[in-house]
Amino acid sequence: MTQNLDILIIGGGISGLLAARELRLAGRDVAIIDKSLAGREASWAGGGILLPIYPWRQADAISKLATASIETYPQLCRELHQATGIDPEWRDCGMLISQNPDHAAATAWCERYAIRHQTPPTDLSAGLHADWQEPLWLPDIAQARNPRLLKSLQAWLRLQGVEFIENADITSLTIRGRRAVHLQTADRTLAMRELVVSAGAWTANLLNALLPEQALDLRIQPVRGQMLLFEAEPETLPCMVLDGDHYLIPRGDGRILAGSTVEQAGFEKATTESAGRALFEFATRLLPALKDFPVAHHWAGLRPGSPDGVPYIGPHPDIDNLYVNAGHFRNGLVMGPAAARLLSDLLLKRATALNPSPYLPKRLPPP
């Protein structure tokens, strides 16, 4: 069975889904293929904070994608909710950062990117036991409930005629000249005009296996992150709190997420008792009220780690119709809309709002 497609996207996480939306809005026909179910890997497992962790300590290329994306999220979530009835739960509940030894760099970053910032009101710290050091309050920073955002995106794409090919085992990719022409799975052949690889932590391994003669210098590796969910009540915590390397995120229904670990564990996605205990101790120390609520869930996800967290976005240097959008590390959600727009602009040969140079995939250097 051979199926002819316009644009095929490998990977049904937030990056693949948002790219599919951009391309569908541009009038292109799109299909998404995934090794399991769409939206069930790192995009589902994250916390949904729409701000990089301490962005002033990260590469400028991350800030440019993140701040461009932040501006689009309110309208994106409204449109998805109206079209599908599934609320992504965008909430501008604000972010309280307890420790800022680099306070000057933080405020300079906020001013550069027009992020409102101030000394925290005293009522925000009520009930929190932190080691306060130059605390910073970012009142406009929002979150999205990532599992619901993923559901609403999938529903919107299905309404627009995007095909999902799930639980698919990709076995080979045929190249003719400078074009990818056929993707082979266990039960079908997929012919496509354009191919986008957005397979998260699996991207580098997949491309190296499919294209050993045209290898890219994609230093993407899995980085495990574990989180806890407390079955708390509404108003237990009014805002997101970043304390050192960990955070608390209050959902609209009162549940509170505590995260997260950063572990080099290969492709092992299992949770560990030690990480669960450490997250519990962090959460209940910072917010002692959480001792009164049960832990409802403990899970893990595999982030697509990359050097400095800067994603790879753009065309393959040797295959004219093959594109990459992967390696977003901890910021797939917050960089997602702008990354998808950049990828789509490059694929559709449109002018780009951002300079693509920092993100372009490169050939693997010769041995």
Side-chain angles (χ1 to χ4, degrees), residues 62-218:
I62 293 173
S63 292
K64 290 185 180 300
L65 285 173
T67 52
S69 295
I70 287 169
E71 296 175 356
T72 71
Y73 259 109
Q75 181 63 25
L76 170 63
C77 290
R78 279 194 297 270
E79 290 178 0
L80 293 174
H81 190 189
Q82 291 168 2
T84 68
I86 302 171
D87 185 2
E89 295 189 21
W90 179 91
R91 297 178 62 227
D92 54 344
C93 58
M95 167 75 81
L96 174 61
I97 305 177
S98 67
Q99 300 165 30
N100 286 281
D102 47 357
H103 189 266
T107 55
W109 182 91
C110 290
E111 289 166 6
R112 177 182 179 186
Y113 289 102
I115 302 295
R116 200 155 60 100
H117 61 285
Q118 61 194 61
T119 301
T122 55
D123 61 326
L124 282 179
S125 59
L128 293 170
H129 290 196
D131 180 16
W132 303 104
Q133 182 182 1
E134 298 278 4
L136 190 65
W137 170 232
L138 308 179
D140 300 327
I141 298 305
Q143 60 166 290
R145 196 162 185 167
N146 38 311
R148 299 190 182 188
L149 172 62
L150 292 163
K151 287 181 181 178
S152 61
L153 268 171
Q154 289 181 67
W156 187 92
L157 291 169
R158 292 179 192 277
L159 287 172
Q160 297 296 319
V162 172
E163 180 182 2
F164 284 78
I165 305 167
E166 298 177 304
N167 298 309
D169 180 20
I170 296 172
T171 57
S172 65
L173 176 63
T174 300
I175 305 295
R176 290 181 187 159
R178 290 181 58 91
R179 295 188 63 81
V181 292
H182 293 121
L183 187 76
Q184 188 68 47
T185 75
D187 61 356
R188 69 179 85 185
T189 300
L190 301 171
M192 62 278 164
R193 292 189 178 91
E194 314 281 352
L195 179 63
V196 177
V197 182
S198 192
W202 290 265
T203 299
N205 286 3
L206 176 65
L207 277 173
N208 287 340
L210 294 176
L211 300 169
E213 302 301 319
Q214 296 97 351
L216 292 176
D217 188 14
L218 297 181

Side-chain angles (χ1 to χ4, degrees), residues 7-9 11-33 153-154 156-158 160 162-164 196 198 325 336 340-341 343-344:
I7 299 176
L8 178 62
I9 297 176
I14 189 69
S15 297
L17 296 174
L18 286 170
R21 183 176 185 274
E22 283 286 341
L23 293 164
R24 192 71 193 96
L25 287 171
R28 300 294 294 267
D29 292 326
V30 184
I32 295 173
I33 185 169
L153 268 171
Q154 289 181 67
W156 187 92
L157 291 169
R158 292 179 192 277
Q160 297 296 319
V162 172
E163 180 182 2
F164 284 78
V196 177
S198 192
N325 182 21
R341 172 60 63 90
L343 180 282
S344 300

